[in-house]
Amino acid sequence: MRSWRMNAGGSGDVGRPKYDSGEIGLSKYDSGEIPRGYIPSVTNSQISGEIPGASPDHHMMSPTGNIGKRASFPYVNHSPNPSREFSGSIGNVAWKERVDGWKMKQDKGTIPMTNGTSIAPSEGRGVGDIDASTDYNMEDALLNDETRQPLSRKVPIPSSRINPYRMVIVLRLVVLSIFLHYRITNPVRNAYPLWLLSVICEIWFALSWILDQFPKWFPINRETYLDRLALRYDREGEPSQLAAVDIFVSTVDPMKEPPLVTANTVLSILAVDYPVDKVSCYVSDDGAAMLTFDALAETSEFARKWVPFVKKYNIEPRAPEWYFSQKIDYLKDKVHPSFVKDRRAMKREYEEFKIRINGLVAKAQKVPEEGWIMQDGTPWPGNNTRDHPGMIQVFLGHSGGLDTEGNELPRLVYVSREKRPGFQHHKKAGAMNALVRVSAVLTNGQYMLNLDCDHYINNSKALREAMCFLMDPNLGRSVCYVQFPQRFDGIDRNDRYANRNTVFFDINLRGLDGIQGPVYVGTGCVFNRTALYGYEPPIKQKKKGGFLSSLCGGRKKASKSKKGSDKKSQKHVDSSVPVFNLEDIEEGVEGAGFDDEKSLLMSQMSLEKRFGQSAAFVASTLMEYGGVPQSATPESLLKEAIHVISCGYEDKTEWGSEIGWIYGSVTEDILTGFKMHARGWRSIYCMPKRPAFKGSAPINLSDRLNQVLRWALGSVEILFSRHCPLWYGYGGRLKFLERFAYINTTIYPLTSIPLLIYCVLPAICLLTGKFIIPEISNFASIWFISLFLSIFATGILEMRWSGVGIDEWWRNEQFWVIGGISAHLFAVFQGLLKVLAGIDTNFTVTSKASDEDGDFAELYMFKWTTLLIPPTTILIINLVGVVAGTSYAINSGYQSWGPLFGKLFFAFWVIVHLYPFLKGLMGRQNRTPTIVVVWAILLASIFSLLWVRIDPFTTRVTGPDTQTCGINC
C-alpha cells in the first residue's frame, strides 16, 4: 500500500519522493543515481529532450550575451489551448491512498504515519492534533516539563496604563454626545448653510472616530518561546519536526522593482535560520522579464557563497546590501579569527555580484527589435508580456544546489504564469493564487509566507517566531495567519509623510490582536494553507459568556443535542459564508462506503469543480500536514505545475471568490483576511524585538500619495461589493468589534468629503465675515474645552501604553489630512466611476528604488500629479482668508477681534496640518514650487487688500462700515 508522507510525521525528509534509477528528476528532486543536469521540458503536454538544468555547473545567458557559463532554460507550456483539462494518473492514485488512510483509521483506530508506524490518538485530542502526531518518546516528554508548556503567551497591557485610557474614551464619548446635542440645537441663523454643513461633517467625524477607537479597547502583546519550540520540534541530533514553509516573492516590473532589491530579498530567504529541507522560495515574475530570470540565475550562484558565510558567523540581517551598509561596529561580539578576512572577501564578492546585476540592467534598457534571444537561439517566451506560455525554472534544490561547503540550499523556483489575450488575470491576486497551486504541486508546504520583492528577512528567526503560534497544539489549529508589522529602511529621520505608519502597526493592529486578530496587510504574513483553501477552523465549544463576551467574543453557541445533526446545524448558517471542512469531506466519503466507486468518483469531481481540473492539486488540498505523495514522478509533477498556472485553469472554479487570494479589489489583502475571519479563523500579531522583515517605502510626496490612492481605491471597491463588511457574513463567526474594524477599513476614504468641506469652511468664514458657531455662554464653552482636552488626553494615553512617540503620532495626524483631501478624495470618485460607469483604472506599481546614497534626494524631488491640486487650492484659499480676515478686523475695530480668533484657529489648524505638504512643494532641489508658493501668497495679499477696500493711492483706508480716517502717509 502506498501512503502519503506528511510533514507532521517522524521523518526528516518529508515530502521528498524517492525514485528508482532511470527515472527523470527535477533538479530539486535529484537523487544519487540521476544526473544533475538532466531536466525535462514540457512541450504540448509531452516530455521530450534534455535541457541543461540549474545545477552548480550550469548558468544563465544574459539577454545580449554569454556570461561564460552554460545556459539553463525555463520549463515552458506551449499548449495552444490555455483552458484545456488535464488529469494525471497520480491524482487518482492519491485519492485512493487518501481513502485507504480513512479506512485504516476507521478499522484500526490508528493514524498512519509517514515513517511506517502508527500512533493511537491521544485521549481527549482530535485526530489531527499536532501533539498526537509527533514521534516523541512519551517518557521523555513527561520528564521534561518544557515540552508540555505553551509556545507563546499573551502579555496584557498593565492596568495602570490601559484603564485610564479606557476611562478617557468613555468620557470623550459622553462629552462628544453633549457637544453634538448643543451644535444641533443651536443653529446659526445668519449662516445656516455653513452651520448645517459643519454639523453634518462633525457627526460623520464622530461616527468615524467610534469605528476607529473601539476596536482598540483590548490591546495585547505577545511573547514567544523559541527554546520550547526547538525542544519540541527541532531537537539537536534528531530529524527536524518543524513544518515546511513555502515562501512567495512577487515582482512585476524590473524597472520599478530593481533586480538587486529582489535579489537581496531572495538571499535573505535562502539564508533563513530554518531547516533547509523545509524551506522553498518561489519567485513570481508577472512581467515575464528575461532580466528578472537572469538576475535570479546570478542570485542562485552568489547564494552558494553568501549562505554559508552568514550561517557560519550568525550575520544579521542576511540581506547583503543592508548588512554591508550598516554604520555599526561589525566586529562587536565576533571572536572568530578568520571573520575579518572572510568578511572582506565576501564584500568583494558582493560588489562583483552587483556589477553583474547592474550590467544586466544596463543591457535590458534597450530591447532588440526581434526581442530577447536565449542561448540556444530560440526567442525568449516572455517577449510578449501579454501573450506568453507559463514558465517554471528550478534553480536550487535537493542535491541540485549545494553551497561552497557542500551543504544543501533551500529550493529556489522561478514562476511566470501563462497570459493570453481575452483572459482576466487579476493582477497580484492572480499571481499569488498561481504560486499557491504551483507550490502545492511541487512541495506542498503546510504554511506559506508571502513577501513583496523589497521586503527582506531582517530577523533570521522570523519563521520560528511564526511557528510558535501556528504549531502550538492548543492555538495553532484555529490560526489562519500570523501577521508581522511592516518596518522600513531608507526613510528620512523626521518621516515627513508618515511612511512608517507607526500608529497603524503599533496601535491599531495590537488592538485587533485582542479581539480576533489583525487584518492582513499584504506582506510579511505566514499563512495556514488550509485556511486559504476555504476550509473552516475547528469549532470550539465554549461556555456561555455575559454581555461583554458576546460583544467582543462573537456569537453565542447553540446548545448541543445530537452530535451529527447539531454539527450540521452550526454550519451553513449563512449562504454567503462558505463552509469547506475536512470533517465533512471525511464523513461524506466514509458514509458512502469504501466499495462504492461511483460515490468516490463523485466526491473527487466535486472537489475538482471547486479547486480546478488537476487531480494532483486536489489531492494535495486534502493533506492537512502538507507534503507530496511518494507515488508522484518528476515528469507528472512538472506537467501538473505547468497546467495549474495556465490562464484558463480558474474558469468555473471558486478561485478568487472563496479560495485563495480574493478578487474584486486592488487591495486583495484586506478582502482575503476578511473572508478568513468571517469563517471563524483568528489571526495573530507577532512583534519580535528585532523586526522580522524590513522593506522600502516611497519617500517622495507624489509617489506616497499614489500609493495611498491605490489603498483607498481598494477600500472603496470593497465598500461597493458584495463583500462589504456592512452586510456580508452576519451568520458567520466574525466578532462584533472585528467587524467594526473592517467597516472602518472600507469607509475611511468617504471621510475625505466632509474633511474637504471642513478645511474650506475656515476660509469661507474669514472671507464672508460669518461663523459656523453662534455666540456661546460660559457654560457652553466648558463643553468645547472639555472636548479638546479629551482629544488630547486620548492621544497622550494612547502613546503611553503603545510606546509610540509624539512626533510619530503628530506626523500621522498631519498626513491623515493631506491624504484625506487628495488621494482619498480621488479614490472615492474613481471607485464610483468604476462601479457606476464601469471605467477601470490602471494599476500603478510603487517604485521600490532604495536610497543607497543616504542623501534623500528623492524626498526633495518635485513630481507633479493631479493629486496635488486639492491640497494646494485649500492651502491658498486659507492663506487668502487669513490675510483678508485680519485686514478686515484691523479696519473694523476691536469688537471684531473676538470672532476673528475663532476663525483664525480653524484656519491655522488646516495650515499646520498641511505644513509637510508645503515643505514638499518647496523642494530643496527644485525652486519652481517655491516661486509658485511665493506668487500665491502675493496674489492672496493683493486679493485681500481689494476685499477690504484699502486704497493706498489716496492714503485712506475704508472698511465696509467705517468712515474715512484721513491718515497721511
Side-chain angles (χ1 to χ4, degrees):
M1 180 186 297
R2 293 171 177 170
S3 62
W4 294 98
R5 301 182 65 85
M6 295 185 292
N7 277 340
S11 176
D13 48 344
V14 174
R16 294 179 56 188
K18 298 180 180 179
Y19 310 106
D20 297 331
S21 60
E23 289 185 318
I24 300 173
L26 300 174
S27 62
K28 69 189 287 297
Y29 296 118
D30 278 339
S31 63
E33 297 83 9
I34 302 173
R36 290 184 184 175
Y38 192 86
I39 300 179
S41 65
V42 175
T43 306
N44 295 325
S45 303
Q46 300 294 328
I47 301 297
S48 64
E50 291 187 23
I51 294 180
S55 67
D57 300 326
H58 299 92
H59 209 282
M60 277 305 302
M61 181 182 180
S62 64
T64 57
N66 196 331
I67 59 177
K69 297 188 178 182
R70 295 181 61 187
S72 59
F73 307 100
Y75 312 127
V76 183
N77 176 20
H78 297 288
S79 175
N81 182 9
S83 60
R84 66 181 177 84
E85 294 185 2
F86 178 85
S87 181
S89 60
I90 65 166
N92 298 326
V93 175
W95 181 263
K96 292 180 180 179
E97 290 173 356
R98 174 71 175 176
V99 175
D100 289 338
W102 287 332
K103 186 175 181 180
M104 182 189 301
K105 181 180 66 175
Q106 188 182 46
D107 293 344
K108 299 182 180 181
T110 59
I111 305 172
M113 303 303 294
T114 62
N115 58 359
T117 62
S118 60
I119 300 175
S122 302
E123 185 177 355
R125 298 184 185 271
V127 170
D129 189 81
I130 296 177
D131 275 354
S133 58
T134 51
D135 195 20
Y136 294 144
N137 188 318
M138 295 305 294
E139 294 180 358
D140 294 341
L142 291 173
L143 292 175
N144 194 340
D145 290 338
E146 285 294 317
T147 60
R148 295 184 283 115
Q149 295 295 320
L151 302 179
S152 64
R153 74 181 183 97
K154 292 182 181 179
V155 181
I157 305 296
S159 58
S160 59
R161 295 188 177 185
I162 195 63
N163 287 340
Y165 174 68
R166 291 170 177 166
M167 292 173 61
V168 169
I169 291 175
V170 175
L171 181 63
R172 179 175 172 179
L173 186 62
V174 173
V175 172
L176 184 61
S177 302
I178 298 174
F179 169 80
L180 291 177
H181 178 267
Y182 174 82
R183 293 283 284 124
I184 294 171
T185 56
N186 291 272
V188 181
R189 301 299 178 184
N190 64 340
Y192 194 85
L194 298 180
W195 167 83
L196 183 61
L197 283 174
S198 66
V199 169
I200 293 174
C201 293
E202 288 162 3
I203 292 174
W204 180 268
F205 293 150
L207 294 175
S208 179
W209 172 76
I210 291 173
L211 290 174
D212 178 70
Q213 187 66 65
F214 279 91
K216 297 183 283 189
W217 189 267
F218 300 102
I220 62 171
N221 296 317
R222 292 187 183 271
E223 191 175 81
T224 57
Y225 302 104
L226 298 180
D227 53 344
R228 295 178 183 174
L229 178 75
L231 198 60
R232 181 175 294 185
Y233 296 112
D234 195 24
R235 291 182 178 180
E236 187 176 356
E238 298 180 8
S240 176
Q241 302 293 328
L242 291 173
V245 182
D246 294 335
I247 304 178
F248 303 155
V249 179
S250 56
T251 182
V252 180
D253 186 354
M255 294 296 117
K256 291 187 176 181
E257 300 168 327
L260 188 62
V261 173
T262 305
N264 273 271
T265 299
V266 172
L267 289 169
S268 69
I269 293 171
L270 298 178
V272 70
D273 183 9
Y274 206 76
V276 293
D277 60 318
K278 303 298 181 71
V279 178
S280 302
C281 178
Y282 293 83
V283 179
S284 170
D285 178 18
D286 220 31
M290 191 169 180
L291 173 58
T292 303
F293 185 83
D294 286 346
L296 206 59
E298 287 283 358
T299 303
S300 65
E301 196 68 19
F302 178 71
R304 306 178 197 276
K305 306 171 185 177
W306 172 253
V307 173
F309 168 74
V310 296
K311 290 188 174 182
K312 179 179 179 180
Y313 298 110
N314 196 24
I315 296 300
E316 296 282 1
R318 298 189 174 181
E321 181 67 30
W322 298 107
Y323 169 68
F324 289 121
S325 64
Q326 290 182 115
K327 297 179 180 179
I328 61 173
D329 181 13
Y330 65 85
L331 296 178
K332 185 179 181 181
D333 300 329
K334 297 295 186 295
V335 296
H336 203 286
S338 63
F339 172 69
V340 174
K341 179 181 177 181
D342 291 348
R343 186 183 187 275
R344 289 174 180 171
M346 185 52 60
K347 187 173 184 180
R348 184 171 60 253
E349 291 281 354
Y350 177 64
E351 290 172 352
E352 294 174 357
F353 167 73
K354 289 178 65 175
I355 293 296
R356 293 194 296 270
I357 295 294
N358 293 337
L360 293 174
V361 174
K363 292 176 182 179
Q365 297 295 326
K366 187 177 180 180
V367 181
E369 293 182 0
E370 67 278 7
W372 299 116
I373 304 297
M374 294 190 292
Q375 187 180 11
D376 64 346
T378 59
W380 168 250
N383 279 328
N384 187 344
T385 57
R386 298 184 178 181
D387 187 4
H388 64 84
M391 296 179 284
I392 296 176
Q393 174 67 45
V394 180
F395 286 105
L396 298 173
H398 282 306
S399 302
L402 304 179
D403 61 28
T404 54
E405 298 181 359
N407 299 317
E408 291 182 357
L409 291 171
R411 306 171 185 88
L412 176 59
V413 184
Y414 169 89
V415 179
S416 182
R417 58 180 173 145
E418 181 185 23
K419 288 191 176 181
R420 301 295 181 189
F423 286 86
Q424 177 60 262
H425 301 293
H426 302 290
K427 301 173 183 176
K428 182 181 177 180
M432 298 304 297
N433 283 337
L435 287 182
V436 171
R437 296 191 294 270
V438 168
S439 63
V441 172
L442 295 181
T443 52
N444 199 25
Q446 186 177 353
Y447 303 110
M448 299 174 293
L449 165 65
N450 88 286
L451 295 173
D452 288 343
C453 66
D454 63 317
H455 273 70
Y456 65 90
I457 298 180
N458 182 66
N459 184 347
S460 61
K461 297 186 182 297
L463 294 181
R464 294 178 181 268
E465 294 277 356
M467 292 304 115
C468 286
F469 302 104
L470 293 169
M471 297 189 71
D472 188 286
N474 299 318
L475 178 65
R477 292 181 62 80
S478 61
V479 175
C480 56
Y481 60 81
V482 176
Q483 178 67 62
F484 292 87
Q486 293 185 21
R487 304 300 187 207
F488 302 99
D489 288 312
I491 297 178
D492 59 302
R493 183 180 60 182
N494 296 323
D495 192 14
R496 179 184 294 180
Y497 305 124
N499 283 283
R500 293 190 177 92
N501 219 351
T502 313
V503 172
F504 175 74
F505 288 113
D506 288 12
I507 297 179
N508 293 64
L509 294 190
R510 287 166 70 184
L512 289 177
D513 198 20
I515 306 173
Q516 198 176 346
V519 298
Y520 168 42
V521 297
T523 183
C525 186
V526 183
F527 283 95
N528 184 340
R529 189 181 284 268
T530 303
L532 267 179
Y533 287 160
Y535 294 115
E536 269 197 343
I539 298 176
K540 295 182 179 180
Q541 299 297 334
K542 296 182 178 179
K543 297 180 180 180
K544 293 184 178 181
F547 171 75
L548 190 62
S549 175
S550 63
L551 179 68
C552 307
R555 64 181 178 90
K556 296 181 180 180
K557 304 288 183 182
S559 59
K560 292 184 65 177
S561 54
K562 294 183 180 180
K563 180 180 179 180
S565 61
D566 201 49
K567 181 183 293 186
K568 298 297 180 183
S569 66
Q570 290 182 4
K571 299 177 183 179
H572 302 282
V573 288
D574 183 9
S575 60
S576 65
V577 180
V579 178
F580 311 141
N581 200 313
L582 284 172
E583 296 177 2
D584 292 341
I585 298 172
E586 291 192 21
E587 290 174 2
V589 176
E590 291 175 353
F594 291 102
D595 296 329
D596 193 344
E597 294 293 337
K598 184 176 180 180
S599 299
L600 176 62
L601 181 61
M602 291 297 294
S603 300
Q604 184 177 1
M605 290 176 61
S606 64
L607 287 175
E608 287 185 349
K609 183 178 180 181
R610 179 182 300 159
F611 292 107
Q613 296 295 323
S614 173
F617 174 75
V618 169
S620 72
T621 64
L622 300 176
M623 302 181 67
E624 190 173 1
Y625 300 109
V628 295
Q630 282 184 300
S631 57
T633 62
E635 300 95 322
S636 58
L637 288 176
L638 183 57
K639 292 173 69 175
E640 285 295 299
I642 287 291
H643 171 52
V644 297
I645 60 173
S646 61
C647 54
Y649 179 82
E650 296 181 354
D651 291 348
K652 298 180 181 180
T653 67
E654 295 181 354
W655 283 99
S657 59
E658 306 295 347
I659 300 170
W661 270 258
I662 306 302
Y663 304 149
S665 171
V666 295
T667 53
E668 69 289 329
D669 46 4
I670 297 295
L671 196 53
T672 302
F674 174 61
K675 294 277 284 189
M676 294 183 189
H677 284 134
R679 296 186 187 110
W681 292 93
R682 75 150 296 128
S683 56
I684 298 293
Y685 196 49
C686 182
M687 297 180 64
K689 291 182 179 179
R690 180 178 180 85
F693 311 100
K694 280 191 175 183
S696 60
I699 61 176
N700 180 268
L701 176 60
S702 299
D703 292 339
R704 172 72 165 138
L705 289 177
N706 277 295
Q707 182 188 54
V708 174
L709 170 63
R710 189 175 73 250
W711 295 343
L713 178 60
S715 295
V716 174
E717 290 172 341
I718 297 174
L719 179 63
F720 295 116
S721 71
R722 73 181 186 93
H723 292 119
C724 178
L726 284 169
W727 51 72
Y728 179 81
Y730 271 96
R733 290 183 281 174
L734 184 67
K735 297 182 180 179
F736 187 70
L737 289 181
E738 192 80 10
R739 183 179 297 277
F740 257 41
Y742 275 109
I743 292 175
N744 182 56
T745 302
T746 54
I747 71 168
Y748 78 89
L750 299 182
T751 307
S752 60
I753 298 176
L755 182 61
L756 179 68
I757 296 172
Y758 220 72
C759 288
V760 174
L761 282 176
I764 297 176
C765 292
L766 286 166
L767 293 173
T768 60
K770 299 178 180 179
F771 200 35
I772 58 176
I773 299 176
E775 293 185 5
I776 58 177
S777 62
N778 293 333
F779 179 75
S781 63
I782 295 176
W783 300 115
F784 282 80
I785 297 173
S786 300
L787 179 62
F788 286 111
L789 290 177
S790 64
I791 292 174
F792 292 135
T794 305
I796 292 171
L797 292 175
E798 199 168 69
M799 289 184 283
R800 183 169 176 259
W801 69 255
S802 66
V804 174
I806 189 172
D807 54 338
E808 296 171 316
W809 181 85
W810 175 239
R811 291 298 184 198
N812 183 79
E813 291 293 314
Q814 288 180 312
F815 197 78
W816 175 74
V817 176
I818 296 172
I821 60 178
S822 57
H824 297 173
L825 185 67
F826 276 70
V828 172
F829 289 107
Q830 288 185 12
L832 290 174
L833 285 175
K834 183 175 181 180
V835 172
L836 301 178
I839 301 175
D840 202 356
T841 55
N842 292 327
F843 176 79
T844 303
V845 179
T846 305
S847 177
K848 304 296 194 305
S850 59
D851 182 47
E852 296 181 1
D853 298 331
D855 58 356
F856 302 109
E858 187 77 11
L859 176 66
Y860 304 102
M861 187 179 297
F862 180 76
K863 300 179 182 178
W864 175 254
T865 173
T866 52
L867 296 175
L868 300 177
I869 295 177
T872 304
T873 305
I874 289 175
L875 189 62
I876 291 175
I877 65 174
N878 274 279
L879 290 173
V880 170
V882 169
V883 177
T886 305
S887 302
Y888 180 84
I890 291 174
N891 296 303
S892 299
Y894 69 91
Q895 68 275 7
S896 62
W897 284 94
L900 175 67
F901 287 136
K903 301 171 187 176
L904 289 178
F905 173 81
F906 287 105
F908 280 118
W909 180 89
V910 175
I911 295 172
V912 168
H913 277 78
L914 293 178
Y915 178 69
F917 173 79
L918 180 61
K919 290 184 67 177
L921 291 181
M922 301 174 67
R924 182 180 68 183
Q925 298 181 355
N926 194 322
R927 296 185 178 182
T928 303
T930 306
I931 297 173
V932 171
V933 173
V934 171
W935 274 105
I937 295 175
L938 287 176
L939 290 174
S941 303
I942 294 172
F943 180 79
S944 301
L945 293 174
L946 294 175
W947 184 269
V948 297
R949 300 195 303 277
I950 297 179
D951 188 359
F953 299 103
T954 60
T955 69
R956 294 184 299 178
V957 181
T958 58
D961 299 317
T962 60
Q963 297 179 352
T964 303
C965 61
I967 301 175
N968 293 326
C969 291

